[in-house]
Every structure is written in C-alpha cells, then in structure tokens.
C-alpha cells in the first residue's frame, strides 16, 4: 500500500507581492505547484497526490497539472479552504480509506529533493506516528514581547540554538493520527474561547497539541518555503544550478 500526499495550494501568497495565487506563480516557467507535485510524484513511496486548490479554481488547476504529465501518478484536485488547516482537512477527506500513510506538503516548497520525501515516508512506515523534516538554524533566535509596528520589542529570552530546528514539509503521518487531530482542532474552533489556544502553523503542531509524539528527520536546504520575493530569486538560482 503506497502513501498518499496532500498538497495545500489554496493560499493567496500575499507576502510574495500582488499577483496570482502563490501556487500558480512561476519558477523557471513552471508553476510552483507543478514543481511541488512533481517532487512528490517522483517518490516511489507515493501513489496518489491530492491538491487542495483555491475554491472555484479546481478545474483550472486540474488542467494545469494534466498538461504537465506527472510520472503517471494519480493526481486529484479538490477545493481548498480559508486556512491552510482547512485545506489540509479537505484534501485528507479525498484520500481512500485504505491508505495508511499520508504526507502533507506545501505547494510553496517546490524544490524539495525526492530523498526527503522518501525519508519521511519511510520513517512513518517504520513506526512513527508523525515525522517532520527539519534543519538546524543559522540565525540566533530570540523570544520577544510583540509591540505595535515601529516600537522596539523587549526581549524575553534566547533559546539555546543547538536545540532548535526549522521545520519543513513534507510532514508524514499515520493517517488515523492526522485525521483525528484535524477533527479535534475543528471541534475546538467551534467551541467558545478559541483565542485561548496558541496558533498552530503546521500539521505536526496539531499532533503535539493533542499529546502525540513527533520525531524529526533531516530536511534539506533546498526544501525552503517560497514566501517573500527574495525566496523566488533563490529558487530560480537553485533551479538554474540543477539544470546546469
Ligand atoms: O502562507 P503559507 O506560506 O504558510 O502557506 C503554506 C501552504 O499552505 C501554501 O502551499 C499555501 O498555498 C497553503 N494554503 C492553503 N489554504 C489557505 C492558506 C494557505 O492551502 N487558505
């Protein structure tokens, strides 16, 4: 039984500047989403890729993926949601019930090497319920007390950098685990006082919130997320180096 992957691709990508939804911005003449789906389709561990497209844009995204021929892998497109979390939940709902291992990969990480995809899937197969690829930090990180824009922010403390990791995708899960934490998060959202919960920005973070065990495997510097305009410049350079 092969693993399936969910690709949330419904974000606007406002930090990248004005233009098309982020997943459809081009890198080397090919949309970020196509790069990301190709990176997953290249893995022999993956049998199905489900893309959560901007709502209303499903047909356009399906045609786009079709026109790029993706290693004969099964690729399905569903409507994404208003948040990344909702897009993942909707993608997960489209995966057949007998699939036991699910990877979640940002459309915004177009250059993840296939070795990272393979390693994440293998770690779930080997028994982990949740696996994240991550890399050590180059920068020192400080916790601050956030202030309105323009005001200096008081520093609270400086965590030991050696114990920190910058987390990437694809993140891998036992399907039941991922399904369960997304249902719990959904139930809590509709409960009173949702503000009391700290924000969760990745799927593994949901597993942590509900007491699950998450492990880290080595990520890769080329699996960085394209968020700001400078990231696109870097991504173009990496792609050019690969093609050279
Ligand atoms: O905004 P950020 O870079 O964190 O987005 C990470 C991924 O989540 C992107 O692939 C983006 O398209 C996706 N996303 C989504 N639905 C949203 C918001 C973001 O699928 N409503």
């Amino acid at each position: 039984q092969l693993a399936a992957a969910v690709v949330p691709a419904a974000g606007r990508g406002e930090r990248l500047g004005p233009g098309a939804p982020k997943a459809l911005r081009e890198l080397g003449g090919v949309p970020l989403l196509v790069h990301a789906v190709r990176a997953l389709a290249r893995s022999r561990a993956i049998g199905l890729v489900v893309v959560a497209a901007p709502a209303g844009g499903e047909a356009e995204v399906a045609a786009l993926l079709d026109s790029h021929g993706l290693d004969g892998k099964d690729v399905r497109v569903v409507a994404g949601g208003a948040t990344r979390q909702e897009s993942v939940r909707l993608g997960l709902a489209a995966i057949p019930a007998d699939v036991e291992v699910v990877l979640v990969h940002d459309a915004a990480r177009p250059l993840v090497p296939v070795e990272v995809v393979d390693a994440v899937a293998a770690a779930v197969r080997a028994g982990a319920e949740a696996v994240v690829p991550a890399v050590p930090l180059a920068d020192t990180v400080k916790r601050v007390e956030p202030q309105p824009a323009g005001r200096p922010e008081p520093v609270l403390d400086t965590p030991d950098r050696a114990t920190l990791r910058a987390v990437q995708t694809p993140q891998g899960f036992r399907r039941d685990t991922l399904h369960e934490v997304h249902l719990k998060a959904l139930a809590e959202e509709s409960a009173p006082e949702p503000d009391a919960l700290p924000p969760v920005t990745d799927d593994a973070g949901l597993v942590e919130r509900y007491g699950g065990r998450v492990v880290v495997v080595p990520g890769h510097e080329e699996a960085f997320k394209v968020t700001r305009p400078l990231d696109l410049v870097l991504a173009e350079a990496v792609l050019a180096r690969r093609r050279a």
Side-chain angles (χ1 to χ4, degrees):
Q1 177 67 65
L2 294 172
V6 174
V7 181
R12 293 271 340 134
E14 271 150 17
R15 288 169 291 180
L16 205 50
K22 178 158 72 175
L24 304 182
R25 307 283 185 105
E26 292 192 352
L27 168 61
V30 175
L32 293 179
L33 173 64
V34 173
H35 286 281
V37 172
R38 261 188 199 153
L40 294 164
R42 238 177 254 137
S43 168
R44 283 161 53 188
I46 305 275
L48 165 70
V49 181
V50 177
V51 174
E58 299 97 294
E60 182 193 346
V61 167
L64 183 74
L65 290 166
D66 240 19
S67 72
H68 283 87
L70 295 157
D71 291 357
K73 289 281 160 85
D74 189 2
V75 179
R76 298 180 203 171
V77 179
V78 300
T83 62
R84 182 185 182 284
Q85 194 171 302
E86 190 182 6
S87 295
V88 172
R89 194 173 66 238
L90 294 169
L92 190 56
I95 293 178
D98 60 337
V99 172
E100 289 174 0
V101 176
V102 174
L103 271 54
V104 181
H105 181 59
D106 290 329
R109 296 183 189 270
L111 298 175
V112 62
V114 70
E115 291 76 17
V116 175
V117 181
D118 290 342
V120 168
V124 181
R125 287 242 178 273
E129 64 174 338
V131 178
V132 298
V135 292
L137 296 188
D139 294 322
T140 293
V141 171
K142 297 195 188 293
R143 275 197 330 124
V144 300
E145 224 172 281
Q147 302 293 315
R151 290 224 201 125
E153 300 177 311
V155 169
L156 297 173
D157 56 30
T158 306
D160 175 7
R161 190 171 66 192
T163 69
L164 298 175
R165 299 290 179 267
V167 168
Q168 305 176 327
T169 73
Q171 301 188 347
F173 304 89
R174 300 219 51 85
R175 182 237 182 74
D176 294 344
T177 300
L178 187 62
H179 183 68
E180 195 183 304
V181 297
H182 271 273
L183 286 186
K184 283 184 179 163
L186 182 63
E188 274 186 25
E189 268 170 31
S190 37
E193 288 186 72
D195 291 351
L197 295 167
V200 169
T201 50
D202 70 338
D203 299 279
L206 287 181
V207 175
E208 292 155 46
R209 170 180 285 177
Y210 300 116
R213 203 174 120 79
V214 180
V215 295
V216 165
V217 298
H220 195 284
E221 60 179 359
E222 294 181 4
F224 63 92
K225 187 164 71 172
V226 174
T227 304
R228 290 166 294 247
L230 183 63
D231 300 322
L232 264 181
V233 176
L234 180 60
E236 291 284 1
V238 170
L239 196 63
R241 187 175 66 182
R242 281 189 191 175
R243 285 172 175 172

